[in-house]
Amino acid sequence: MPDDEPRVANAPKKDDKVSKPTLLLSIALVAVVAFVAGTRSDQLYAAIAPVFGIKASADTLDTAVLQQAFRELKANYDGTLDAGKLTDGAARGMVTAAGDKYTVFMDKDEAEQFNKDLRGEISGIGCEIGVRGDRATVLRVLDDSPAEAAGVRPGDVFVSVNGESVDAMDATTVASKVRGEKDTTVKLTMQRGEEQKEFTITRAQVTDASVRWSIDGDIGTITMSRFDDDTGKLANQAAAEFKARSVKGVILDLRGNGGGYLNAAVDVAGIWLDNKVVVTEKSNGKVTGTEKTGSGAPLAGVKTVVLVNGASASASEIVAGALQDHKAAILVGEKTFGKGTVQKVVNLLDGRLLKVTIARWYTPNGKNITKEGISPDKKVELTSDDANAGRDPQLEAAKGLF
């Protein structure tokens, strides 16, 4: 499931500034009026919150059936009940009943994992695993990772993990077996050419940067795995290096990028677009926001190709759609995922999270891509045979456009 583009709950936009004295005065006013009114503080908060750009509701849900079910369960259940799990289950059921697969409730553990995934934090050995020749193979080893320290190399083929043969397993299954809690060990048997090598590696918390870049001749390539807090900064560093080296073309690889923060997508689009609309948001058919880039796009006018596939989603589609609509880039690859909604992340009690759909987004030309995706300008497939053989016809097609 692709990631979504969460926002910090209740954060005003940059131009919606409220002075501290005004805010404190308003809070004090609410407190005083609430005291006079008795138990109506929730309604008063809901009334004044919109003044500060905060969405709030004073509506309540009839929980009589829920409480009755709990009392009967407690009185009659033959077993031990965990009140925390029951609370989480009730909240999860209510949110699921909204009927939107992108609106979800997360308990504390799920919330922690969600935030780690968004930051690229993984507990494991620090290598990227894919398929080559129908076998799980190391594609990339992260810098300063336990795998690098142990001597694992790209091209090493997994034979067994902790003594269990993985010959018939796909890359995802093998990766799940290699990952584990930090400070625990994993034993690997790897095939390297004609030789089998044994590794015992202590897992650690590793972080994979969201942006990598390189220059080959006069072509710069940016590979972006997600849109997190650092993505805009790293992508702009890459752009500065490309500009200093006078590259004649850029490839932006968004394949497999499931999304992330909306503001990071706007920052990335701003590398090519100078004071242009990136995305428009609508809620209940009404425009609720328009995101534009700033001025001084470092790669404006530089020929650019964006690589996309069926796993390029949400924030990736926002960038790809904006560059395509403004004719700032050529899209190559396969049709994108098709997620045209925006989510906001709301902090709940005790580390829980609510991720809720707040709007639909539209490309600069006014298209919402939900379920349709974005069609590339040049369609190029990457088959399983290509992956097995280590071929990348999409990347080669992109290079051929320069």
Side-chain angles (χ1 to χ4, degrees), residues 12 62 176 185 213 223 243 246 278 289 309 326 343 372 376 386 402:
D62 184 356
S176 69
T185 59
W213 64 90
T223 302
K243 191 171 182 179
S246 300
V278 176
N309 64 9
H326 287 297
Q343 280 68 44
E372 294 184 17
D386 291 325
F402 296 104

Side-chain angles (χ1 to χ4, degrees), residues 12 16-18 22-23 26 44-55:
D16 292 334
K17 295 181 179 178
V18 179
T22 301
L23 181 59
S26 300
L44 289 166
Y45 175 76
I48 198 170
V51 174
F52 304 103
I54 301 171
K55 287 187 176 182

Side-chain angles (χ1 to χ4, degrees), residues 312-392:
S312 304
S314 41
S316 290
E317 293 174 296
I318 288 174
V319 172
L323 296 183
Q324 186 183 56
D325 280 7
H326 287 297
K327 302 188 184 306
I330 300 169
L331 270 56
V332 172
E334 299 162 89
K335 183 180 287 190
T336 63
F337 181 80
K339 180 181 175 294
T341 56
V342 179
Q343 280 68 44
K344 177 174 75 171
V345 174
V346 182
N347 293 314
L348 302 178
L349 293 173
D350 298 326
R352 300 172 175 90
L353 291 177
L354 171 66
K355 181 156 66 69
V356 55
T357 296
I358 60 172
R360 291 180 178 271
W361 63 262
Y362 295 76
T363 69
N365 285 349
K367 182 181 179 181
N368 179 265
I369 52 86
T370 297
K371 297 183 180 179
E372 294 184 17
I374 298 172
S375 296
D377 301 298
K378 183 178 178 63
K379 183 178 179 181
V380 181
E381 293 185 350
L382 195 158
T383 67
S384 56
D385 288 341
D386 291 325
N388 271 322
R391 297 189 298 264
D392 193 342

Side-chain angles (χ1 to χ4, degrees), residues 224-238:
M224 203 168 288
S225 58
R226 63 188 179 279
F227 290 81
D228 62 18
D229 286 331
D230 295 325
T231 302
K233 178 184 67 177
L234 293 172
N236 273 282
Q237 288 177 7

